[in-house]
Amino acid sequence: MKYVLNYRFKAYMSPAESKEMLETFATHGDAPGVQLHYAWADGRGGTVVGETDDVAGLFRHANRYNQWVEEEIHPALEPLEAVTVAGAVIEEAAE
């Protein structure tokens, strides 16, 4: 499964909380199957693009960091896949 994960740091973290979050990241790292990881230029979060069949690993990742970060994980399709599926649905509806 391809996915996009957007995260936003919780507001008003103390320096100690930020340090603990970074230490956790240094120990456990990124979500499973990460292919791209971008930090937003405003410093408030980032976007991860990945591919994995380890949904439990995504859940584990989200739970590991949820005291510091709000995450949204969305299954995703590449545009050609999405257009192909949408076209098939339109054809089915026309029948």
Side-chain angles (χ1 to χ4, degrees), residues 20-90:
E20 185 180 5
M21 179 189 68
L22 291 173
E23 288 171 349
T24 300
F25 188 80
T27 300
H28 297 286
D30 239 326
V34 170
Q35 297 171 341
L36 300 169
H37 186 161
Y38 294 107
W40 298 341
D42 65 8
R44 293 186 297 170
T47 298
V48 172
V49 177
E51 185 169 1
T52 186
D53 292 326
D54 184 9
V55 176
L58 287 173
F59 183 76
R60 184 178 311 106
H61 171 82
N63 279 275
R64 181 174 288 132
Y65 293 99
N66 70 7
Q67 63 182 312
W68 307 293
V69 177
E70 294 177 4
E71 293 183 345
E72 296 177 349
I73 303 171
H74 303 279
L77 296 173
E78 292 182 22
L80 184 56
E81 292 175 286
V83 168
T84 300
V85 171
V89 170
I90 291 167

Side-chain angles (χ1 to χ4, degrees), residues 13-20:
M13 278 198 300
S14 70
E17 290 172 310
S18 295
K19 182 179 184 223
E20 185 180 5

